Amino acid sequence: MDEMKVSRRGALGIAGAAAGAALVPAAAEAAAKKAGAKGKPVIDFATKIDFKDPKWTRDTYARLDADVAPGKEKCGWIRGKIFGVRDNEPVRPLMNVEGFSFVRINRQADGSWRRLLREIVFYRDINTNEILKEWDNPYTGERVRVVPIANDPFNFTISEFVPEPPSYGGLQTAKREPKPFLQDWQWGPEGTMILNTGIDMMYPNALQPDKWPRESSGFMNRVSEQFIYVVKKEDVENPYLTHIPHTGSWSRVTPWLPWMLMGQAPGHMNYFTHFSTIPDGIAGLPKDLAAAARAMDEKWLHAPETDYGPSLSSLENYAREQKPAPVPAGWAPPQPPAPRNPFAAK
């Protein structure tokens, strides 16, 4: 769920969110000082704020994304809603979404950071909030089996240069010219800082229509993910704080999920979520969420300990782990309602 813009309004809202994000920095700082020798930081990283310095960007993003103290895991959590968007009808709330990730990060010889992450995300009933195993698709009238997002691993390197887009097992072939890693940081109110970051992609779909007629949204997969982080300036500048507490939002524009069995139906989905760090790890997660992950495999409650791959998205994993659904006789992708002129003569 972490990749590399978005505006945020309401100064009071930002300040309040940032205050809530400062979860336990004093305790984290005390632990870091204790671990260090003679009160020195346990690991070196850039803390002098300079929006034009790629080393500062690299180290600050690493401290946001993970806990850079050797051997430490960080638990990140998201929660929000998913909406369906089709022509000629209101945007429709479809389900709630909630999940978490565990990440550890290792310093490389060149000063870069290699992050190792597992993430799992469940879908919840829009009314009862129960974790869904089946879902009644309002567009088709069909009950379908729900497949959670379960990515193991999703690793990449945070360096002084802008990362390449994820390859998704070789399907994404876009390349960038090397350029310094600088992000869209802004000053917020009352000692806060705001980071806007995101990625927009279009690449070949792992679920091609000829093999996956009911799951595939088409030959290409178009996805946009946008993030906002809100942090305290004093935390960013703190040389003892190996993880920067934060809160923020993640939004995603994506085709219909394959398990919805919508085929190439017109329309798309929007995710709107908020996220933060869970300092207590497993103990701080909702009990039913942790239990659902544990029922799949204990590994989801821990970050990878070694660097392996490939790093795939939920679509590539779906193509590897699932089978195409049967196509009923006469089936066709659901269509939005016809346009209607509300001012036409009756």
Side-chain angles (χ1 to χ4, degrees), residues 35-97:
K38 297 181 180 179
K40 294 181 179 179
V42 69
I43 190 168
D44 289 331
F45 44 79
T47 58
K48 183 179 179 181
I49 297 173
D50 184 348
F51 296 162
K52 297 183 179 181
D53 179 6
K55 290 184 178 179
W56 175 84
T57 303
R58 174 198 67 191
D59 292 353
T60 303
Y61 189 72
R63 293 166 63 211
L64 276 173
D65 192 46
D67 190 322
V68 302
K72 289 291 291 293
E73 287 187 328
K74 187 216 79 172
C75 177
W77 166 82
I78 66 160
R79 183 176 182 178
K81 293 185 183 296
I82 302 175
F83 298 81
V85 184
R86 301 198 303 178
D87 289 342
N88 308 318
E89 68 178 24
V91 171
R92 181 183 302 198
L94 297 178
M95 61 196 86
N96 298 332
V97 62

Short mmCIF file of all heavy atoms in Angstrom, two decimals, residues 35-97:
data_model
loop_
_atom_site.label_atom_id
_atom_site.label_comp_id
_atom_site.label_asym_id
_atom_site.label_seq_id
_atom_site.Cartn_x
_atom_site.Cartn_y
_atom_site.Cartn_z
N ALA A 35 19.16 2.38 23.69
CA ALA A 35 19.85 1.44 22.81
C ALA A 35 21.15 2.00 22.28
O ALA A 35 22.08 1.27 21.97
CB ALA A 35 18.94 1.07 21.63
N GLY A 36 21.25 3.32 22.16
CA GLY A 36 22.46 3.93 21.63
C GLY A 36 23.56 3.99 22.67
O GLY A 36 23.35 3.82 23.86
N ALA A 37 24.77 4.25 22.20
CA ALA A 37 25.93 4.33 23.09
C ALA A 37 26.11 5.78 23.55
O ALA A 37 26.20 6.68 22.73
CB ALA A 37 27.18 3.86 22.36
N LYS A 38 26.15 5.97 24.88
CA LYS A 38 26.40 7.28 25.47
C LYS A 38 25.43 8.33 24.95
O LYS A 38 25.80 9.48 24.67
CB LYS A 38 27.85 7.71 25.19
CG LYS A 38 28.87 6.77 25.83
CD LYS A 38 30.29 7.24 25.55
CE LYS A 38 31.31 6.30 26.18
NZ LYS A 38 32.70 6.71 25.92
N GLY A 39 24.19 7.92 24.77
CA GLY A 39 23.17 8.86 24.37
C GLY A 39 23.18 9.23 22.91
O GLY A 39 22.44 10.09 22.49
N LYS A 40 24.02 8.57 22.10
CA LYS A 40 24.06 8.86 20.67
C LYS A 40 22.96 8.07 19.97
O LYS A 40 22.57 7.00 20.42
CB LYS A 40 25.43 8.52 20.09
CG LYS A 40 26.55 9.39 20.62
CD LYS A 40 27.87 9.01 19.97
CE LYS A 40 29.01 9.91 20.49
NZ LYS A 40 30.31 9.52 19.88
N PRO A 41 22.48 8.59 18.82
CA PRO A 41 21.47 7.84 18.09
C PRO A 41 21.95 6.44 17.74
O PRO A 41 23.13 6.22 17.48
CB PRO A 41 21.25 8.69 16.83
CG PRO A 41 21.67 10.07 17.23
CD PRO A 41 22.80 9.88 18.21
N VAL A 42 21.00 5.48 17.72
CA VAL A 42 21.36 4.10 17.45
C VAL A 42 21.74 3.89 15.99
O VAL A 42 22.43 2.95 15.65
CB VAL A 42 20.19 3.17 17.85
CG1 VAL A 42 18.99 3.36 16.94
CG2 VAL A 42 20.62 1.72 17.87
N ILE A 43 21.29 4.77 15.09
CA ILE A 43 21.62 4.67 13.67
C ILE A 43 21.56 6.08 13.09
O ILE A 43 20.76 6.91 13.53
CB ILE A 43 20.63 3.72 12.95
CG1 ILE A 43 21.10 3.44 11.53
CG2 ILE A 43 19.22 4.28 12.97
CD1 ILE A 43 20.34 2.29 10.87
N ASP A 44 22.44 6.36 12.15
CA ASP A 44 22.51 7.71 11.58
C ASP A 44 21.49 7.87 10.45
O ASP A 44 21.32 6.99 9.62
CB ASP A 44 23.91 7.97 11.02
CG ASP A 44 24.94 8.13 12.14
OD1 ASP A 44 24.55 8.56 13.23
OD2 ASP A 44 26.12 7.80 11.91
N PHE A 45 20.86 9.04 10.42
CA PHE A 45 19.99 9.41 9.31
C PHE A 45 19.89 10.92 9.29
O PHE A 45 20.12 11.59 10.30
CB PHE A 45 18.61 8.77 9.41
CG PHE A 45 18.00 8.82 10.78
CD1 PHE A 45 17.40 9.98 11.26
CD2 PHE A 45 18.01 7.70 11.60
CE1 PHE A 45 16.84 10.03 12.53
CE2 PHE A 45 17.44 7.74 12.86
CZ PHE A 45 16.86 8.91 13.33
N ALA A 46 19.58 11.48 8.10
CA ALA A 46 19.50 12.93 7.95
C ALA A 46 18.26 13.47 8.65
O ALA A 46 17.15 12.95 8.46
CB ALA A 46 19.47 13.30 6.48
N THR A 47 18.44 14.51 9.48
CA THR A 47 17.30 15.11 10.18
C THR A 47 17.17 16.61 9.90
O THR A 47 16.14 17.20 10.25
CB THR A 47 17.43 14.91 11.71
OG1 THR A 47 18.66 15.48 12.16
CG2 THR A 47 17.37 13.43 12.05
N LYS A 48 18.18 17.23 9.30
CA LYS A 48 18.09 18.65 8.98
C LYS A 48 17.16 18.82 7.79
O LYS A 48 17.45 18.40 6.67
CB LYS A 48 19.47 19.23 8.65
CG LYS A 48 19.44 20.73 8.38
CD LYS A 48 20.82 21.28 8.08
CE LYS A 48 20.76 22.78 7.79
NZ LYS A 48 22.10 23.33 7.46
N ILE A 49 16.02 19.44 8.02
CA ILE A 49 14.98 19.52 6.99
C ILE A 49 15.46 20.33 5.80
O ILE A 49 15.86 21.50 5.94
CB ILE A 49 13.69 20.12 7.57
CG1 ILE A 49 13.14 19.20 8.67
CG2 ILE A 49 12.65 20.34 6.47
CD1 ILE A 49 11.97 19.78 9.43
N ASP A 50 15.43 19.70 4.63
CA ASP A 50 15.83 20.35 3.39
C ASP A 50 15.06 19.68 2.26
O ASP A 50 15.40 18.58 1.83
CB ASP A 50 17.33 20.21 3.17
CG ASP A 50 17.81 20.98 1.93
OD1 ASP A 50 16.96 21.41 1.12
OD2 ASP A 50 19.04 21.12 1.77
N PHE A 51 14.00 20.33 1.79
CA PHE A 51 13.14 19.73 0.78
C PHE A 51 13.86 19.49 -0.55
O PHE A 51 13.34 18.77 -1.41
CB PHE A 51 11.93 20.64 0.52
CG PHE A 51 11.02 20.80 1.71
CD1 PHE A 51 10.12 21.86 1.76
CD2 PHE A 51 11.06 19.92 2.78
CE1 PHE A 51 9.26 22.03 2.85
CE2 PHE A 51 10.22 20.07 3.87
CZ PHE A 51 9.32 21.13 3.91
N LYS A 52 15.05 20.07 -0.72
CA LYS A 52 15.80 19.89 -1.97
C LYS A 52 16.97 18.91 -1.82
O LYS A 52 17.79 18.79 -2.72
CB LYS A 52 16.30 21.24 -2.47
CG LYS A 52 15.17 22.21 -2.84
CD LYS A 52 15.72 23.52 -3.40
CE LYS A 52 14.56 24.45 -3.78
NZ LYS A 52 15.06 25.74 -4.35
N ASP A 53 17.03 18.24 -0.70
CA ASP A 53 18.12 17.29 -0.44
C ASP A 53 17.59 15.86 -0.57
O ASP A 53 16.79 15.40 0.25
CB ASP A 53 18.66 17.51 0.97
CG ASP A 53 19.79 16.54 1.33
OD1 ASP A 53 20.22 15.77 0.45
OD2 ASP A 53 20.21 16.54 2.50
N PRO A 54 18.02 15.11 -1.60
CA PRO A 54 17.52 13.75 -1.77
C PRO A 54 17.91 12.81 -0.65
O PRO A 54 17.21 11.83 -0.40
CB PRO A 54 18.11 13.32 -3.12
CG PRO A 54 19.15 14.30 -3.47
CD PRO A 54 18.88 15.55 -2.70
N LYS A 55 19.02 13.09 0.05
CA LYS A 55 19.38 12.24 1.19
C LYS A 55 18.40 12.44 2.34
O LYS A 55 18.00 11.47 3.00
CB LYS A 55 20.82 12.53 1.63
CG LYS A 55 21.87 12.05 0.64
CD LYS A 55 23.28 12.26 1.17
CE LYS A 55 24.30 11.72 0.19
NZ LYS A 55 25.70 11.93 0.67
N TRP A 56 18.03 13.71 2.58
CA TRP A 56 17.02 13.96 3.62
C TRP A 56 15.70 13.32 3.23
O TRP A 56 15.03 12.67 4.05
CB TRP A 56 16.83 15.46 3.81
CG TRP A 56 15.73 15.77 4.78
CD1 TRP A 56 15.80 15.80 6.14
CD2 TRP A 56 14.35 16.02 4.45
NE1 TRP A 56 14.56 16.07 6.68
CE2 TRP A 56 13.65 16.20 5.67
CE3 TRP A 56 13.64 16.10 3.26
CZ2 TRP A 56 12.29 16.47 5.72
CZ3 TRP A 56 12.27 16.37 3.30
CH2 TRP A 56 11.62 16.55 4.52
N THR A 57 15.29 13.44 1.95
CA THR A 57 14.06 12.82 1.48
C THR A 57 14.10 11.31 1.68
O THR A 57 13.16 10.70 2.18
CB THR A 57 13.84 13.13 -0.01
OG1 THR A 57 13.80 14.55 -0.21
CG2 THR A 57 12.53 12.52 -0.51
N ARG A 58 15.21 10.72 1.29
CA ARG A 58 15.38 9.26 1.42
C ARG A 58 15.21 8.81 2.86
O ARG A 58 14.42 7.90 3.15
CB ARG A 58 16.78 8.88 0.91
CG ARG A 58 17.19 7.43 1.10
CD ARG A 58 18.70 7.29 0.98
NE ARG A 58 19.40 7.96 2.10
CZ ARG A 58 20.71 8.16 2.13
NH1 ARG A 58 21.47 7.78 1.11
NH2 ARG A 58 21.26 8.77 3.18
N ASP A 59 15.94 9.45 3.77
CA ASP A 59 15.93 9.00 5.16
C ASP A 59 14.59 9.30 5.84
O ASP A 59 14.10 8.51 6.66
CB ASP A 59 17.07 9.66 5.93
CG ASP A 59 18.43 9.16 5.49
OD1 ASP A 59 18.49 8.21 4.68
OD2 ASP A 59 19.45 9.71 5.95
N THR A 60 13.99 10.44 5.50
CA THR A 60 12.71 10.79 6.11
C THR A 60 11.62 9.85 5.63
O THR A 60 10.79 9.39 6.43
CB THR A 60 12.35 12.25 5.79
OG1 THR A 60 13.41 13.10 6.26
CG2 THR A 60 11.04 12.65 6.45
N TYR A 61 11.62 9.53 4.35
CA TYR A 61 10.61 8.60 3.85
C TYR A 61 10.79 7.21 4.45
O TYR A 61 9.82 6.52 4.79
CB TYR A 61 10.63 8.53 2.32
CG TYR A 61 9.46 7.77 1.77
CD1 TYR A 61 8.17 8.31 1.79
CD2 TYR A 61 9.61 6.48 1.26
CE1 TYR A 61 7.09 7.60 1.32
CE2 TYR A 61 8.53 5.76 0.79
CZ TYR A 61 7.28 6.32 0.82
OH TYR A 61 6.19 5.61 0.36
N ALA A 62 12.05 6.80 4.62
CA ALA A 62 12.32 5.50 5.25
C ALA A 62 11.78 5.48 6.67
O ALA A 62 11.21 4.47 7.13
CB ALA A 62 13.82 5.21 5.24
N ARG A 63 11.94 6.58 7.41
CA ARG A 63 11.45 6.64 8.80
C ARG A 63 9.93 6.72 8.87
O ARG A 63 9.34 6.34 9.89
CB ARG A 63 12.08 7.84 9.51
CG ARG A 63 13.59 7.71 9.73
CD ARG A 63 14.21 9.05 10.11
NE ARG A 63 13.69 9.54 11.38
CZ ARG A 63 13.56 10.84 11.69
NH1 ARG A 63 13.88 11.78 10.80
NH2 ARG A 63 13.11 11.20 12.87
N LEU A 64 9.30 7.23 7.82
CA LEU A 64 7.84 7.20 7.74
C LEU A 64 7.34 5.80 7.43
O LEU A 64 6.42 5.28 8.06
CB LEU A 64 7.35 8.15 6.64
CG LEU A 64 7.17 9.62 6.95
CD1 LEU A 64 6.85 10.36 5.66
CD2 LEU A 64 6.05 9.83 7.96
N ASP A 65 7.97 5.19 6.46
CA ASP A 65 7.52 3.91 5.94
C ASP A 65 7.80 2.76 6.91
O ASP A 65 7.09 1.75 6.92
CB ASP A 65 8.21 3.65 4.60
CG ASP A 65 7.60 2.50 3.84
OD1 ASP A 65 6.37 2.44 3.76
OD2 ASP A 65 8.36 1.65 3.32
N ALA A 66 8.83 2.91 7.72
CA ALA A 66 9.27 1.81 8.58
C ALA A 66 9.90 2.38 9.83
O ALA A 66 9.93 3.60 10.05
CB ALA A 66 10.28 0.94 7.82
N ASP A 67 10.41 1.50 10.66
CA ASP A 67 11.24 1.87 11.81
C ASP A 67 12.66 1.47 11.45
O ASP A 67 12.95 0.29 11.25
CB ASP A 67 10.78 1.14 13.07
CG ASP A 67 11.45 1.67 14.33
OD1 ASP A 67 12.65 1.99 14.27
OD2 ASP A 67 10.79 1.72 15.39
N VAL A 68 13.56 2.46 11.33
CA VAL A 68 14.90 2.17 10.82
C VAL A 68 15.84 1.60 11.86
O VAL A 68 16.99 1.29 11.56
CB VAL A 68 15.53 3.42 10.16
CG1 VAL A 68 14.65 3.94 9.02
CG2 VAL A 68 15.76 4.54 11.18
N ALA A 69 15.38 1.44 13.11
CA ALA A 69 16.21 0.79 14.11
C ALA A 69 16.44 -0.66 13.68
O ALA A 69 15.50 -1.34 13.27
CB ALA A 69 15.55 0.83 15.48
N PRO A 70 17.67 -1.17 13.75
CA PRO A 70 17.96 -2.53 13.28
C PRO A 70 17.06 -3.56 13.95
O PRO A 70 16.88 -3.58 15.17
CB PRO A 70 19.43 -2.72 13.67
CG PRO A 70 20.00 -1.33 13.71
CD PRO A 70 18.88 -0.46 14.20
N GLY A 71 16.45 -4.41 13.11
CA GLY A 71 15.64 -5.50 13.62
C GLY A 71 14.22 -5.15 13.98
O GLY A 71 13.43 -6.04 14.32
N LYS A 72 13.84 -3.86 13.94
CA LYS A 72 12.50 -3.46 14.38
C LYS A 72 11.46 -3.69 13.28
O LYS A 72 11.73 -3.50 12.10
CB LYS A 72 12.49 -1.98 14.77
CG LYS A 72 13.22 -1.65 16.06
CD LYS A 72 12.50 -2.22 17.27
CE LYS A 72 11.20 -1.53 17.56
NZ LYS A 72 11.36 -0.12 17.99
N GLU A 73 10.27 -4.08 13.69
CA GLU A 73 9.12 -4.16 12.80
C GLU A 73 8.22 -2.96 13.05
O GLU A 73 8.16 -2.44 14.16
CB GLU A 73 8.29 -5.43 13.07
CG GLU A 73 8.90 -6.71 12.60
CD GLU A 73 7.93 -7.88 12.77
OE1 GLU A 73 7.12 -7.85 13.72
OE2 GLU A 73 7.98 -8.81 11.96
N LYS A 74 7.52 -2.52 12.00
CA LYS A 74 6.50 -1.48 12.15
C LYS A 74 5.19 -2.02 11.61
O LYS A 74 5.16 -2.64 10.55
CB LYS A 74 6.88 -0.22 11.40
CG LYS A 74 5.94 0.96 11.65
CD LYS A 74 5.71 1.81 10.41
CE LYS A 74 4.72 1.21 9.46
NZ LYS A 74 4.34 2.09 8.33
N CYS A 75 4.12 -1.76 12.35
CA CYS A 75 2.78 -2.16 11.92
C CYS A 75 2.03 -0.93 11.44
O CYS A 75 1.87 0.04 12.18
CB CYS A 75 2.03 -2.83 13.07
SG CYS A 75 0.33 -3.31 12.68
N GLY A 76 1.58 -0.97 10.19
CA GLY A 76 0.74 0.09 9.64
C GLY A 76 -0.68 -0.40 9.45
O GLY A 76 -0.91 -1.58 9.17
N TRP A 77 -1.67 0.49 9.60
CA TRP A 77 -3.08 0.11 9.58
C TRP A 77 -3.87 1.07 8.70
O TRP A 77 -3.58 2.27 8.67
CB TRP A 77 -3.60 0.14 11.01
CG TRP A 77 -5.08 0.10 11.20
CD1 TRP A 77 -5.89 -1.01 11.20
CD2 TRP A 77 -5.94 1.22 11.47
NE1 TRP A 77 -7.20 -0.65 11.45
CE2 TRP A 77 -7.25 0.71 11.63
CE3 TRP A 77 -5.73 2.59 11.61
CZ2 TRP A 77 -8.34 1.53 11.88
CZ3 TRP A 77 -6.81 3.42 11.87
CH2 TRP A 77 -8.10 2.89 12.01
N ILE A 78 -4.84 0.55 7.95
CA ILE A 78 -5.73 1.39 7.16
C ILE A 78 -7.18 1.00 7.41
O ILE A 78 -7.48 -0.16 7.76
CB ILE A 78 -5.46 1.29 5.64
CG1 ILE A 78 -5.79 -0.12 5.11
CG2 ILE A 78 -4.05 1.71 5.28
CD1 ILE A 78 -6.00 -0.16 3.63
N ARG A 79 -8.08 1.96 7.25
CA ARG A 79 -9.51 1.69 7.32
C ARG A 79 -10.26 2.72 6.50
O ARG A 79 -9.87 3.89 6.46
CB ARG A 79 -10.00 1.73 8.77
CG ARG A 79 -11.47 1.38 8.91
CD ARG A 79 -11.90 1.33 10.36
NE ARG A 79 -13.30 0.94 10.45
CZ ARG A 79 -13.95 0.78 11.60
NH1 ARG A 79 -13.32 0.95 12.74
NH2 ARG A 79 -15.22 0.44 11.60
N GLY A 80 -11.31 2.29 5.81
CA GLY A 80 -12.09 3.23 5.02
C GLY A 80 -13.23 2.57 4.29
O GLY A 80 -13.72 1.52 4.69
N LYS A 81 -13.65 3.19 3.19
CA LYS A 81 -14.77 2.70 2.39
C LYS A 81 -14.40 2.62 0.92
O LYS A 81 -13.50 3.33 0.46
CB LYS A 81 -16.00 3.62 2.55
CG LYS A 81 -16.61 3.62 3.94
CD LYS A 81 -17.88 4.44 3.97
CE LYS A 81 -18.45 4.50 5.39
NZ LYS A 81 -18.87 3.17 5.88
N ILE A 82 -15.14 1.76 0.22
CA ILE A 82 -14.98 1.63 -1.23
C ILE A 82 -16.30 2.01 -1.88
O ILE A 82 -17.37 1.60 -1.43
CB ILE A 82 -14.60 0.19 -1.62
CG1 ILE A 82 -13.31 -0.23 -0.91
CG2 ILE A 82 -14.44 0.07 -3.12
CD1 ILE A 82 -12.96 -1.68 -1.15
N PHE A 83 -16.20 2.79 -2.96
CA PHE A 83 -17.38 3.26 -3.68
C PHE A 83 -17.33 2.79 -5.13
O PHE A 83 -16.26 2.75 -5.74
CB PHE A 83 -17.45 4.79 -3.64
CG PHE A 83 -17.57 5.35 -2.25
CD1 PHE A 83 -16.46 5.50 -1.44
CD2 PHE A 83 -18.81 5.73 -1.76
CE1 PHE A 83 -16.57 6.02 -0.15
CE2 PHE A 83 -18.93 6.25 -0.48
CZ PHE A 83 -17.81 6.39 0.32
N GLY A 84 -18.50 2.48 -5.67
CA GLY A 84 -18.61 2.15 -7.09
C GLY A 84 -19.06 3.36 -7.87
O GLY A 84 -19.93 4.13 -7.43
N VAL A 85 -18.45 3.55 -9.06
CA VAL A 85 -18.74 4.72 -9.89
C VAL A 85 -19.15 4.25 -11.28
O VAL A 85 -18.39 3.55 -11.97
CB VAL A 85 -17.50 5.63 -9.99
CG1 VAL A 85 -17.85 6.90 -10.78
CG2 VAL A 85 -16.98 6.00 -8.60
N ARG A 86 -20.38 4.60 -11.68
CA ARG A 86 -20.86 4.32 -13.03
C ARG A 86 -21.56 5.55 -13.58
O ARG A 86 -22.02 6.41 -12.82
CB ARG A 86 -21.85 3.14 -13.04
CG ARG A 86 -21.30 1.85 -12.50
CD ARG A 86 -22.15 0.65 -12.93
NE ARG A 86 -23.55 0.77 -12.52
CZ ARG A 86 -24.49 -0.14 -12.82
NH1 ARG A 86 -24.16 -1.21 -13.53
NH2 ARG A 86 -25.74 0.02 -12.41
N ASP A 87 -21.67 5.64 -14.90
CA ASP A 87 -22.38 6.76 -15.52
C ASP A 87 -23.86 6.70 -15.17
O ASP A 87 -24.44 5.64 -14.93
CB ASP A 87 -22.22 6.71 -17.04
CG ASP A 87 -20.82 7.05 -17.50
OD1 ASP A 87 -20.07 7.65 -16.70
OD2 ASP A 87 -20.47 6.69 -18.64
N ASN A 88 -24.47 7.88 -15.12
CA ASN A 88 -25.92 8.05 -15.03
C ASN A 88 -26.53 7.54 -13.73
O ASN A 88 -27.73 7.25 -13.67
CB ASN A 88 -26.61 7.36 -16.23
CG ASN A 88 -26.03 7.79 -17.55
OD1 ASN A 88 -25.75 8.97 -17.75
ND2 ASN A 88 -25.80 6.83 -18.44
N GLU A 89 -25.74 7.44 -12.67
CA GLU A 89 -26.27 7.07 -11.37
C GLU A 89 -25.37 7.63 -10.28
O GLU A 89 -24.20 7.93 -10.53
CB GLU A 89 -26.39 5.55 -11.23
CG GLU A 89 -25.08 4.82 -11.18
CD GLU A 89 -25.27 3.31 -10.99
OE1 GLU A 89 -26.35 2.79 -11.34
OE2 GLU A 89 -24.33 2.66 -10.50
N PRO A 90 -25.88 7.78 -9.05
CA PRO A 90 -25.04 8.29 -7.96
C PRO A 90 -23.89 7.34 -7.65
O PRO A 90 -23.98 6.13 -7.88
CB PRO A 90 -26.02 8.39 -6.77
CG PRO A 90 -27.38 8.38 -7.37
CD PRO A 90 -27.28 7.56 -8.62
N VAL A 91 -22.82 7.90 -7.11
CA VAL A 91 -21.75 7.07 -6.58
C VAL A 91 -22.32 6.22 -5.45
O VAL A 91 -23.10 6.71 -4.63
CB VAL A 91 -20.59 7.97 -6.08
CG1 VAL A 91 -19.56 7.15 -5.32
CG2 VAL A 91 -19.95 8.70 -7.26
N ARG A 92 -21.93 4.93 -5.42
CA ARG A 92 -22.56 3.99 -4.50
C ARG A 92 -21.55 3.41 -3.52
O ARG A 92 -20.55 2.83 -3.93
CB ARG A 92 -23.19 2.85 -5.29
CG ARG A 92 -23.89 1.81 -4.43
CD ARG A 92 -24.42 0.66 -5.26
NE ARG A 92 -25.34 1.11 -6.29
CZ ARG A 92 -26.21 0.32 -6.92
NH1 ARG A 92 -26.28 -0.96 -6.62
NH2 ARG A 92 -27.00 0.80 -7.87
N PRO A 93 -21.77 3.55 -2.19
CA PRO A 93 -20.89 2.86 -1.24
C PRO A 93 -21.12 1.36 -1.33
O PRO A 93 -22.26 0.89 -1.29
CB PRO A 93 -21.33 3.43 0.12
CG PRO A 93 -22.72 3.93 -0.10
CD PRO A 93 -22.82 4.35 -1.52
N LEU A 94 -20.02 0.62 -1.45
CA LEU A 94 -20.13 -0.82 -1.66
C LEU A 94 -19.75 -1.64 -0.43
O LEU A 94 -20.42 -2.61 -0.09
CB LEU A 94 -19.24 -1.24 -2.83
CG LEU A 94 -19.60 -0.66 -4.20
CD1 LEU A 94 -18.59 -1.14 -5.25
CD2 LEU A 94 -21.02 -1.02 -4.60
N MET A 95 -18.66 -1.26 0.22
CA MET A 95 -18.18 -2.05 1.36
C MET A 95 -17.16 -1.23 2.13
O MET A 95 -16.62 -0.24 1.62
CB MET A 95 -17.57 -3.37 0.88
CG MET A 95 -16.39 -3.23 -0.03
SD MET A 95 -15.97 -4.75 -0.92
CE MET A 95 -17.07 -4.63 -2.34
N ASN A 96 -16.90 -1.66 3.35
CA ASN A 96 -15.80 -1.10 4.13
C ASN A 96 -14.54 -1.91 3.84
O ASN A 96 -14.60 -3.05 3.37
CB ASN A 96 -16.11 -1.15 5.63
CG ASN A 96 -17.32 -0.32 5.99
OD1 ASN A 96 -17.64 0.66 5.32
ND2 ASN A 96 -18.02 -0.71 7.05
N VAL A 97 -13.41 -1.32 4.14
CA VAL A 97 -12.14 -2.00 3.92
C VAL A 97 -11.24 -1.71 5.11
O VAL A 97 -11.23 -0.61 5.65
CB VAL A 97 -11.49 -1.53 2.59
CG1 VAL A 97 -11.18 -0.04 2.62
CG2 VAL A 97 -10.25 -2.31 2.27
#
